[in-house]
Amino acid sequence: MKIEIEDLFYLYESGDETVVALRGLHLEVESGECLVINGPNGSGKSTLVKLLTGFYRPTAGRISIGGLDLAQIDPLRLRREYVSSIDQGGNLIGELTVLENVALAFTLAGKSVSQSRTLAGELLDRHGLGEIFRRFPNELSAGERQLGSLLTALATNPKILIADEPSGELDNQAADAVYALIKSVAGETTVVLVTHDSRAESFADRVVRIRDGRISEEWFPGEKETSVIDPLGWMRVPDKQEPSSSRIPSALRPVLAHEEVVLRAEHLDLRYGEKLIFRQFDLMAAAGELIALSSSSGTGKSSLLRILAGIQNPSAGNVYIGEQLLTDLSREDRATLRKKSIGFLNQGDGAVARISLRDHLGSTASELMDSFGSRMNRPLSGFSGGERARIELLKILSECRPILLLDEPTSQLDERRSQEVVERLLDYVGAGALVIASTRDETLLTRADRILDLSAT
Amino acid sequence: MRLLSWKLAYARLRRYPLHAISVAVVVALAVISLFTLQGISHSSSNSLVTYALSKLPGGDRALTISSNRIFTSNAEYSSIDRYLAKNLSGLTSAGLAREVLYHEVSDSHGVGFYFGGVDALVSRVHLKSGRLPAACTPTRCEVLQVGGQNGAAPHPDSFGLIVVGVGEFTDNRIFTGTFAPSPGVPILVADGIAVVSSMPSVGNFQGSDGWIGEINLKSIERDGLENYRNFILAFENKVSLDHRGLTLTWPSDALAEASDKSSALVVRLVLLSYLVGALLVAFLVLLSLRQKDQHFRYRSGLSRIGTPKKTLAEELVIENFVPLVFGLAIAVSFSPLIPHVLNVMHFHADLTQIYHGWERNFLLVFAALALTSGFAILGDQAWLRRAWIPFLLATGLLYAYFAASGEHEPRVWAIPLLFASMPVVLSYLALRWLSVLWRRRSTNRYILIRENLGMWQGVAAILTLTTLLAVITLSFESGIQKSVIIQAQDEVPLDVSVKTSASLVRPFDLGGITDYEHILAGSSAYPVLRIGSSIRGQSTAADSLSLIGVVPASLARMTSPDLQDLSTLIKPMSAMSEPGLNIGAGSRLDVKLATVPKEIDLIGWFRTPRGMHTSVTFTGHGALRTLLLRGRIPSDSILVGFELRETSDYLSRRLHAQGEGSFSVPVLRGVASILKVSIDGRPQVLSNQEWHLINFPYVFDGGRFFVRPIWQISIPRVAVDPVTAALARNGVLTLAGGNSIDFQVRVGAVQNFFPSAGNRFVIMNIGELQQVISRNDPGAIDPIEVWVSTPNPVLYLDRVKSSGFHTLLIQSRTNALKEFRVDPLNVGSDGSYKIALLFALVIAFIIHSTALPLLRKESAELLFYLEVAGVGPSSLRKALRKALRFTLFIGIVVGFAIGLSVSRFYISQSTPFMTMALSVLAAVALSEVGGYFFTRKFFAESTMVGAS
């Protein structure tokens, strides 16, 4: 089924601002085509996905599928009969077992309840998930969850499949399985993949890039030439930006002697059940160093950071903070150590939502008034995801801890903000802090002193 | 798709079984509580009738039809008999007892007796001596003597009556009330009404027929008290039209009192059932709000794959419906146990009564279903256009619930709405506002409260409602205790009170003060005189008050210090002895008159050594009048005055002539003198200055004229109620003393309350009261009551009842307390409050004890964030417990403040602060122990990821 998008606009309110997420986007996807869409953070990819799946209504412009105007189709019917989608976290419903999730899709497609169960069981068996279909999603691995989500999406024989970062949290093996399944349906089903993963490009028919709400470039896998679609209308982001007046203010500078070893990991092993994540990982990290952890999903980057922060225990090995053996400390003492010495940023930290920004930032509030002005008294839930990510980072930086462990610090930021963050971190490192960040951000990776690939361990 | 909805709902229930079980359990408890309240309502309403009737003398408890022997033939009597049996069959139980009574027949020796007849005598008496009557014919009738054994035995032979035995009645319906003989006068009873009625020897005597039936309590239970009363009133109207000579008497006041109390009780129980309903709805809404985010994620996930909206709506309803229905099923299953539970609580109701109005409970549960569904989708953009539907449905169902409860007063409906909303809103706001106190002092606690504010507000709301109900319940209970004590004190001012009986036998007719004191050593007895009065110069109807004369020493025995102080106030200001002439052992009293026509009788008034006043008419109509004292006036009595009045013959003639417009029989008027008074021929010296015996004018226009010594007193000092005090002029009141006597009193003290005096009263020295009243009516000044102070009221009561005083109304304060304590209105209300409170405590316990575990689970991300940021486990545990403590504090303080205000205004002025303080301490202790218990395993080393 063909997808036609004409002059698509989507605007929304974020605080006092109106954000133009899509600004006159044009796109056509042929019936049966497999299209990959990528682009920097905040470029409008997720917004486009939500518009194609009927969760949002366009502010202006038109989307049609198979000649039908999406505005004329009930969103539930759209998702039931035409468009299936999956996203990074998987879409299995937590209250239903895997079998029940897939069977539900068959039922919605018109099968009887008993027929649905039989078909679901056969489908899961065919894809090697026969042993797990009585389990609930929270009992599955990330890969099993994602495969289950994909099978649920495909059970309805959708005309269009939209996958938003389907391999985002998966290890290589799981990601391979997911892409293999997607590839198997491409051709019969129109597939739109939003991803940075190069595996997707290997079987895609075409790749487009979105920048600032418009299609900017397009290319065909295997071909070197990239077509610039819209050279004048979109805003390119400069490679290097001058500091802006609204940049994050400088943090107070921690005083540490450069090159002093502040963190040491020895022979760390990590296993989840029978599954080995990494083994014999060693690390000596010194003050004034920026270390990037970069490897594919599922290699244990987040877990490593948690081990280094003392939040999680390794299966084997030791961690030293200075001369203090971390694994010897009680949970209480580790918290005390973190309060003094380790700042930790969890991925997507939106744990605090209802208290005001002023209350959340506490004593540093007076220094940050310029940044947020009258919005200081707004609850955190009133800020966008990107702003909250900035706020958390800002908070951690303001606490002046000598060691920072950051999990994907720029994942929710647009390119401009990402560059600002990287500059700040570099400032912080320059003041003598140790920063270890798990990241896919190209800018951060290029500025890091060291890049560690956990998949090698 | 319908099956799909069920499967999806089942998936949710399966995933969160504790939520479903909590809902089911609480619904079951609520419905069981409502059934129990219904049972208490029925039981107490029925008990109110029995209670009201039990306070009446035996003869006044029944339905009685009486007539004054109007029947011309047996056939007519039988016709009346059938008429009454038919019309009273539903109103009375166990059939009608019949009796006939001839009043005050005198034998040839002048000994009076009553002659009566009943059917089936043998089943109604207990034989004490002799034998039961065997035969009765119109000329010779064997009879049983009942009563009057202390007096002269009657000799009824001349009437053809033969006394064959002596006995006492075992059937308390017969020969009671208006058919009761005078004290000391025997009744001779024959077996069989028909033959008694045909005896010619008694044909000239005044007789009465009676039909007596017991109040049919089963009819009351079945039809309701108000309907039963209406049936009786309808019959009363009917019988007055069908048979004018028949009179119906029934305990209308007692049943009216029971009906009023029953109505008050029903309103109270309806209100309490509303409160239980409000608590149930509040609990379910709170649980729904707790599940809101989860259900939103579920709906979003289902919506993502295109599940139709209809299926989503059905799933939501089914998911909320199933636990409610399960709860209803549990309640119905356990409901057969409710009668047994009620029995243990001393209430009695069967399942039919408990289930009465069961459909109301279903309306309430479905209203809760609609509300919980509404709150689940409130704020969800996808359901915005339909979000009003469940709330509208809930409103309609709640309206139907209120309407079905039978209470139509908007005020009563407003109470549960206010109960559910105001405390909730106040506790919500208090928690939000006061939590800012921790903003700087304890950031962690502030974060934990504000990030889960909805959950804490829900906990605080339930605790507030529970505290409010607890305060009201304890205040009510305390109020009852206090009012029972006041009621008992009002009924029996000292330890025992002895009052004039229903047959008007006065305490001093049977004995003097020393007789009452000698019943038990160490006892003191005090006479009391009561008169109805009013304030002169005001409207009589509006200002009627009780005029009570007491002995000062009796007030010194009262428990209240204020009343004790009155004993000094009402000490007499002048000599109290009533002036007169002691007749000693004299046997004859002669009085010589001047210019007193023969149409005027002379009556002598005497005060006996017991202190009672009695009068006897002198014989003769000339100048010399004579009175034989022996056997009529006790020795050492005091002649306190003379009364002159028209003879009854002259009065009749004069009134008759006046009625015909004739003045041929004139009003007697003139000037007379009492020239000489002799006792046994010895002249007595009576000071004319004191007695005014010479040349006193008289006019007899139907009144009475007294000649007696002047009894001078100063204006008595009195204690009055505040309203009466306000009417005094310069502190002086003019009161009506009866028989055209007005007298003045000076207000010396104002009391809000005096036992047994009602709202408007004047308390004064009994001697002073007797002085003023006796001027025109010496016979009206005898005490009608005795108050006794005794070291052992129980023993005193036993002895006084077996000492020949049993015909009087005797009550002890201890017994009065017991009686008031078992007043079904109070017992029913108290029991119901406790049922509602128990339900509230269960809900509060569930909500409070699940708060921390729920927070641990649903705020795992937040707690992780805080721990990562450097807040240690022990700090987190403390912060959680302190947040819970703070919420408990808010709930108790807000609930207490509202509860106290409501109690003071509407329930009782009595507030048991000590009990409440202890309850609060217990709640806090339980909360602390629970908080420690639930949090001790939080953030343990073993729960860390990767812990070995």
Side-chain angles (χ1 to χ4, degrees):
Chain A
M1 186 171 264
K2 186 175 180 179
I3 301 172
E4 291 167 290
I5 301 173
E6 295 173 31
D7 203 23
L8 187 65
F9 283 84
Y10 186 77
L11 280 68
Y12 65 92
E13 304 297 322
S14 175
D16 296 328
E17 302 168 354
T18 301
V19 177
V20 185
L22 295 177
R23 36 182 104 221
L25 185 144
H26 290 270
L27 179 65
E28 280 187 15
V29 184
E30 295 299 330
S31 180
E33 183 179 0
C34 178
L35 176 74
V36 169
I37 300 177
N38 66 28
N41 293 330
S43 58
K45 303 188 300 296
S46 297
T47 305
L48 178 60
V49 166
K50 289 222 181 311
L51 285 162
L52 286 172
T53 50
F55 283 104
Y56 291 170
R57 291 283 190 197
T59 309
R62 187 171 179 270
I63 302 175
S64 59
I65 54 170
L68 297 169
D69 188 349
L70 233 60
Q72 308 300 321
I73 304 176
D74 171 58
L76 289 171
R77 185 174 155 238
L78 173 72
R79 294 194 284 273
R80 195 165 58 242
E81 294 178 14
Y82 298 104
V83 179
S84 285
S85 66
I86 62 169
D87 60 25
Q88 184 167 314
N91 304 116
L92 293 177
I93 295 167
E95 284 85 345
L96 303 175
T97 62
V98 177
L99 178 71
E100 287 168 346
N101 268 282
V102 180
L104 175 60
F106 279 114
T107 307
L108 291 172
K111 301 281 186 281
S112 72
V113 169
S114 54
Q115 256 183 323
S116 299
R117 280 186 78 88
T118 310
L119 290 169
E122 286 167 3
L123 185 63
L124 287 165
D125 256 336
R126 257 202 316 276
H127 290 89
L129 296 178
E131 288 177 7
I132 59 144
F133 56 69
R134 290 201 197 288
R135 291 199 210 153
F136 289 95
N138 64 333
E139 296 167 348
L140 305 175
S141 70
E144 287 165 340
R145 260 201 309 276
Q146 198 66 307
L147 266 179
S149 296
L150 194 50
L151 288 173
T152 303
L154 295 175
T156 57
N157 279 329
K159 310 290 186 294
I160 298 168
L161 173 68
I162 302 185
D164 190 353
E165 296 288 1
S167 60
E169 291 180 355
L170 305 183
D171 58 31
N172 284 333
Q173 191 184 358
D176 284 343
V178 166
Y179 283 123
L181 184 52
I182 292 174
K183 185 179 173 183
S184 70
V185 300
E188 289 173 23
T189 303
T190 306
V191 175
V192 176
L193 277 173
V194 176
T195 182
H196 295 280
D197 197 324
S198 55
R199 276 171 289 202
E201 291 194 25
S202 68
F203 62 85
D205 296 315
R206 185 164 52 119
V207 183
V208 298
R209 174 169 291 157
I210 294 182
R211 276 189 187 272
D212 294 307
R214 297 162 79 100
I215 302 294
S216 63
E217 300 138 88
E218 164 189 84
W219 64 94
F220 297 91
E223 293 180 12
K224 287 189 182 169
E225 196 170 318
T226 301
S227 303
V228 173
I229 304 295
D230 193 353
L232 297 176
W234 52 272
M235 185 184 75
R236 284 173 57 228
V237 177
D239 292 330
K240 185 157 176 60
Q241 293 184 51
E242 293 302 321
S244 72
S245 59
S246 63
R247 65 181 292 176
I248 303 169
S250 297
L252 295 174
R253 293 167 180 267
V255 177
L256 280 175
H258 278 254
E259 298 177 6
E260 177 189 340
V261 172
V262 295
L263 187 148
R264 195 166 81 244
E266 290 176 353
H267 309 314
L268 292 182
D269 285 356
L270 181 65
R271 276 188 172 79
Y272 289 129
E274 295 293 320
K275 193 169 176 186
L276 175 69
I277 306 301
F278 57 74
R279 73 187 287 275
Q280 295 295 301
F281 177 82
D282 296 297
L283 173 67
M284 299 262 279
E289 225 188 328
L290 172 61
I291 297 173
L293 298 177
S294 176
S295 50
S296 52
S297 298
T299 51
K301 299 190 296 297
S302 299
S303 300
L304 175 63
L305 288 173
R306 286 200 290 269
I307 291 169
L308 296 178
I311 300 162
Q312 184 174 334
N313 283 328
S315 305
N318 295 317
V319 177
Y320 292 86
I321 305 294
E323 294 304 317
Q324 175 67 56
L325 177 58
L326 193 59
T327 39
D328 259 0
L329 294 177
S330 67
R331 202 162 165 171
E332 186 78 38
D333 291 337
R334 292 185 200 194
T336 308
L337 179 66
R338 278 195 297 275
K339 191 166 185 173
K340 209 171 50 173
S341 306
I342 304 175
F344 184 90
L345 179 72
N346 206 18
Q347 192 172 359
D349 235 329
V352 181
R354 294 193 175 90
I355 61 172
S356 69
L357 175 59
R358 186 187 299 279
D359 289 333
H360 186 48
L361 294 177
S363 56
T364 54
S366 57
E367 296 178 36
L368 302 167
M369 283 282 267
D370 289 338
S371 281
F372 293 99
S374 62
R375 296 195 296 159
M376 288 295 285
N377 293 323
R378 183 179 297 177
L380 288 164
S381 54
F383 292 86
S384 67
E387 285 179 311
R388 289 173 70 176
R390 269 179 70 213
I391 288 165
E392 283 307 315
L393 197 56
L394 184 70
K395 187 172 186 322
I396 285 175
L397 287 174
S398 69
E399 285 163 356
C400 305
R401 295 174 191 181
I403 300 171
L404 291 188
L405 305 172
L406 312 173
D407 196 348
E408 297 289 352
T410 60
S411 65
Q412 295 193 64
L413 304 178
D414 60 28
E415 279 191 88
R416 187 165 70 91
R417 296 284 190 214
S418 294
Q419 289 208 350
E420 282 182 8
V421 164
V422 170
E423 294 301 323
R424 289 295 94 225
L425 288 175
L426 289 171
D427 280 349
Y428 204 70
V429 167
L434 164 65
V435 174
I436 302 176
S438 151
T439 184
R440 282 180 291 201
D441 189 304
E442 293 288 338
T443 313
L444 194 51
L445 286 168
T446 54
R447 304 295 288 274
D449 296 312
R450 270 196 280 171
I451 299 175
L452 302 179
D453 187 344
L454 283 180
S455 51
T457 60
Chain B
M1 282 299 180
R2 184 60 54 80
L3 184 58
L4 178 63
S5 312
W6 282 92
K7 284 180 73 67
L8 292 174
Y10 167 70
R12 283 273 300 165
L13 294 170
R14 176 187 62 188
R15 194 75 176 140
Y16 303 104
L18 282 180
H19 169 83
I21 290 170
S22 301
V23 168
V25 165
V26 169
V27 166
L29 285 174
V31 173
I32 288 174
S33 300
L34 292 171
F35 280 152
T36 307
L37 289 176
Q38 184 64 38
I40 291 176
S41 176
H42 264 288
S43 172
S44 298
S45 291
N46 295 337
S47 299
L48 278 167
V49 174
T50 315
Y51 179 77
L53 292 176
S54 69
K55 291 196 286 183
L56 297 173
D60 294 345
R61 294 178 197 169
L63 278 170
T64 305
I65 312 292
S66 57
S67 80
N68 291 326
R69 294 261 87 196
I70 55 168
F71 310 109
T72 55
S73 65
N74 284 339
E76 190 184 355
Y77 182 88
S78 300
S79 161
I80 297 290
D81 213 30
R82 284 193 299 277
Y83 171 87
L84 291 175
K86 178 184 165 198
N87 283 281
L88 289 175
S89 62
L91 297 176
T92 58
S93 59
L96 295 173
R98 302 183 309 169
E99 63 190 2
V100 61
L101 186 70
Y102 291 94
H103 301 237
E104 287 284 7
V105 183
S106 294
D107 65 14
S108 55
H109 299 280
V111 176
F113 65 91
Y114 290 79
F115 173 49
V118 287
D119 294 325
L121 177 66
V122 65
S123 63
R124 302 184 195 278
V125 294
H126 162 71
L127 191 65
K128 287 161 78 172
S129 66
R131 64 174 175 84
L132 289 167
C136 185
T137 67
T139 52
R140 184 183 182 285
C141 189
E142 293 183 348
V143 293
L144 187 75
Q145 179 178 337
V146 176
Q149 283 94 32
N150 294 336
H155 297 282
D157 312 38
S158 58
F159 298 96
L161 303 177
I162 312 295
V163 180
V164 298
V166 174
E168 59 188 9
F169 291 122
T170 54
D171 186 340
N172 62 5
R173 291 178 295 172
I174 56 172
F175 302 113
T176 56
T178 54
F179 282 76
S182 299
V185 180
I187 174 170
L188 307 181
V189 189
D191 190 0
I193 286 179
V195 66
V196 166
S197 304
S198 62
M199 289 187 72
S201 55
V202 296
N204 291 332
F205 291 98
Q206 187 185 355
S208 302
D209 289 284
W211 289 261
I212 310 101
E214 287 180 8
I215 299 285
N216 190 340
L217 295 176
K218 283 198 180 352
S219 289
I220 294 176
E221 274 184 48
R222 185 187 62 229
D223 301 322
L225 183 54
E226 202 49 40
N227 284 337
Y228 183 81
R229 290 178 68 228
N230 290 337
F231 291 149
I232 297 181
L233 287 167
F235 174 71
E236 196 173 29
N237 282 339
K238 179 177 164 53
V239 80
S240 69
L241 293 169
D242 293 343
H243 298 282
R244 290 189 64 192
L246 296 180
T247 306
L248 170 67
T249 54
W250 55 293
S252 60
D253 287 346
L255 290 184
E257 180 196 326
S259 178
D260 289 343
K261 280 186 174 180
S262 179
S263 299
L265 181 69
V266 164
V267 170
R268 224 173 258 180
L269 293 191
V270 164
L271 268 176
L272 282 170
S273 66
Y274 285 171
L275 298 188
V276 167
L279 276 166
L280 171 66
V281 169
F283 174 81
L284 293 177
V285 167
L286 173 64
L287 248 58
S288 172
L289 289 172
R290 279 185 176 183
Q291 292 265 304
K292 197 174 159 61
D293 289 343
Q294 278 172 15
H295 200 269
F296 175 75
R297 285 193 291 272
Y298 190 59
R299 284 199 309 280
S300 298
L302 290 171
S303 174
R304 185 188 192 91
I305 56 173
T307 308
K309 212 153 207 169
K310 185 161 171 274
T311 306
L312 294 177
E314 285 171 1
E315 183 282 322
L316 176 64
V317 170
I318 295 168
E319 178 189 336
N320 287 324
F321 177 77
V322 167
L324 292 179
V325 168
F326 190 43
L328 280 173
I330 296 174
V332 170
S333 307
F334 278 92
S335 59
L337 295 176
I338 295 176
H340 301 288
V341 170
L342 285 173
N343 270 340
V344 169
M345 296 167 68
H346 303 295
F347 297 106
H348 306 284
D350 60 34
L351 280 177
T352 315
Q353 290 158 345
I354 286 165
Y355 287 154
H356 179 72
W358 60 268
E359 59 277 2
R360 286 201 301 271
N361 298 335
F362 281 71
L363 285 170
L364 178 67
V365 167
F366 285 118
L369 170 64
L371 273 176
T372 50
S373 303
F375 276 105
I377 60 173
L378 193 63
D380 186 347
Q381 291 293 321
W383 293 82
L384 206 58
R385 283 189 303 170
R386 292 176 181 75
W388 58 271
I389 295 175
F391 291 106
L392 183 67
L393 197 57
T395 305
L397 286 166
L398 282 173
Y399 178 82
Y401 169 72
F402 285 135
S405 68
E407 259 309 314
H408 299 288
E409 272 244 34
R411 190 172 55 105
V412 175
W413 291 16
I415 289 172
L417 296 173
L418 282 172
F419 173 76
S421 58
M422 197 174 71
V424 168
V425 167
L426 286 175
S427 61
Y428 263 53
L429 292 175
L431 197 71
R432 175 179 274 275
W433 292 335
L434 292 176
S435 63
V436 300
L437 292 174
W438 309 124
R439 190 189 258 167
R440 299 281 173 255
R441 291 170 58 190
S442 176
T443 314
N444 299 330
R445 200 179 317 158
Y446 178 69
I447 290 174
L448 282 170
I449 291 175
R450 293 305 287 247
E451 285 298 310
N452 297 283
L453 191 62
M455 191 210 75
W456 291 120
Q457 283 171 327
V459 175
I462 294 291
L463 291 174
T464 300
L465 292 174
T466 304
T467 305
L468 166 59
L469 193 52
V471 169
I472 289 174
T473 302
L474 289 172
S475 295
F476 177 79
E477 200 177 19
S478 173
I480 288 181
Q481 299 290 348
K482 201 169 168 186
S483 79
V484 159
I485 290 171
I486 291 173
Q487 270 183 289
Q489 190 187 11
D490 199 43
E491 178 95 352
V492 184
L494 294 180
D495 297 314
V496 176
S497 72
V498 183
K499 296 180 184 173
T500 301
S501 73
S503 52
L504 303 179
V505 175
R506 296 170 295 185
F508 289 99
D509 288 334
L510 303 180
I513 282 292
T514 48
D515 295 315
Y516 288 101
E517 288 179 344
H518 287 161
I519 287 173
L520 185 65
S523 302
S524 304
Y526 308 98
V528 177
L529 175 60
R530 286 179 198 274
I531 294 173
S533 182
S534 60
I535 301 174
R536 282 294 182 215
Q538 307 291 329
S539 158
T540 309
D543 270 313
S544 53
L545 47 82
S546 295
L547 188 50
I548 303 177
V550 295
V551 175
S554 67
L555 298 182
R557 299 269 189 177
M558 297 264 179
T559 46
S560 160
D562 288 346
L563 296 177
Q564 288 170 6
D565 291 343
L566 291 183
S567 63
T568 311
L569 174 77
I570 63 168
K571 278 208 169 87
M573 298 174 71
S574 54
M576 293 305 301
S577 56
E578 187 177 13
L581 176 68
N582 191 324
I583 63 169
S587 60
R588 178 191 169 111
L589 183 66
D590 297 304
V591 175
K592 189 171 178 190
L593 303 171
T595 61
V596 174
K598 60 178 170 48
E599 289 86 6
I600 293 178
D601 276 333
L602 180 68
I603 296 106
W605 278 93
F606 300 86
R607 189 179 78 247
T608 66
R610 275 186 190 170
M612 301 298 287
H613 289 74
T614 189
S615 63
V616 187
T617 307
F618 283 77
T619 56
H621 289 94
L624 185 67
R625 308 287 175 105
T626 301
L627 179 61
L628 294 174
L629 297 169
R630 195 151 292 160
R632 299 167 89 180
I633 305 293
S635 301
D636 291 315
S637 295
I638 309 292
L639 171 68
V640 297
F642 298 101
E643 179 187 350
L644 291 92
R645 64 172 180 229
E646 294 167 282
T647 61
S648 56
D649 180 57
Y650 188 82
L651 178 63
S652 304
R653 284 194 291 122
R654 183 167 66 74
L655 291 175
H656 185 72
Q658 272 180 6
E660 291 189 350
S662 163
F663 295 95
S664 57
V665 183
V667 170
L668 296 172
R669 61 179 81 231
V671 175
S673 299
I674 296 175
L675 298 174
K676 187 172 159 188
V677 176
S678 309
I679 297 177
D680 292 337
R682 296 188 304 276
Q684 303 297 311
V685 176
L686 299 179
S687 156
N688 185 50
Q689 206 171 3
E690 201 181 353
W691 285 76
H692 295 279
L693 300 172
I694 307 298
N695 295 333
F696 53 83
Y698 63 86
V699 176
F700 286 111
D701 193 5
R704 302 149 73 191
F705 184 79
F706 289 88
V707 178
R708 51 183 314 205
I710 293 168
W711 201 1
Q712 292 284 3
I713 56 164
S714 30
I715 299 179
R717 285 179 306 183
V718 300
V720 299
D721 64 277
V723 174
T724 303
L727 297 170
R729 288 184 191 153
N730 299 321
V732 173
L733 288 165
T734 304
L735 301 178
N739 278 349
S740 306
I741 283 282
D742 289 349
F743 62 99
Q744 288 188 322
V745 295
R746 188 177 301 282
V747 176
V750 180
Q751 285 287 125
N752 288 324
F753 166 76
F754 190 86
S756 74
N759 294 331
R760 300 288 308 278
F761 52 83
V762 172
I763 311 300
M764 60 189 290
N765 183 289
I766 187 172
E768 289 176 333
L769 178 58
Q770 286 173 322
Q771 287 173 21
V772 294
I773 299 300
S774 69
R775 284 179 212 160
N776 264 16
D777 192 355
I781 67 171
D782 295 327
I784 58 167
E785 204 170 315
V786 175
W787 292 350
V788 178
S789 173
T790 177
N792 191 331
V794 173
L795 188 57
Y796 188 94
L797 208 64
D798 280 342
R799 286 192 185 176
V800 76
K801 283 186 175 172
S802 57
S803 306
F805 298 107
H806 59 278
T807 54
L808 298 169
L809 280 179
I810 305 168
Q811 177 66 293
S812 73
R813 190 185 289 188
T814 318
N815 280 355
L817 268 172
K818 276 187 204 164
E819 268 180 32
F820 291 128
R821 279 199 180 116
V822 298
D823 183 341
L825 175 62
N826 294 333
V827 171
S829 300
D830 190 48
S832 302
Y833 268 112
K834 285 175 176 155
I835 294 287
L837 180 60
L838 186 62
F839 175 67
L841 287 171
V842 166
I843 288 184
F845 177 76
I846 292 174
I847 292 293
H848 185 265
S849 59
T850 54
L852 289 180
L854 195 69
L855 194 82
R856 178 76 186 94
K857 190 175 161 196
E858 295 193 351
S859 293
E861 201 182 326
L862 174 65
L863 293 167
F864 177 75
Y865 172 85
L866 290 171
E867 190 181 2
V868 162
V871 182
S874 69
S875 298
L876 285 173
R877 282 192 287 266
K878 274 186 200 159
L880 285 170
R881 287 200 293 266
K882 283 187 181 174
L884 187 66
R885 198 178 296 149
F886 176 63
T887 307
L888 179 68
F889 171 78
I890 294 286
I892 287 176
V893 167
V894 175
F896 188 81
I898 301 174
L900 195 62
S901 310
V902 168
S903 298
R904 287 280 182 173
F905 273 109
Y906 299 108
I907 311 282
S908 159
Q909 291 293 314
S910 171
T911 308
F913 286 110
M914 181 62 77
T915 310
M916 289 181 186
L918 289 173
S919 303
V920 167
L921 282 173
V924 168
L926 199 63
S927 173
E928 291 297 309
V929 166
Y932 175 77
F933 175 76
F934 282 117
T935 57
R936 67 195 163 98
K937 287 282 166 56
F938 287 6
F939 317 114
E941 302 290 333
S942 56
T943 60
M944 225 170 88
V945 177
S948 55

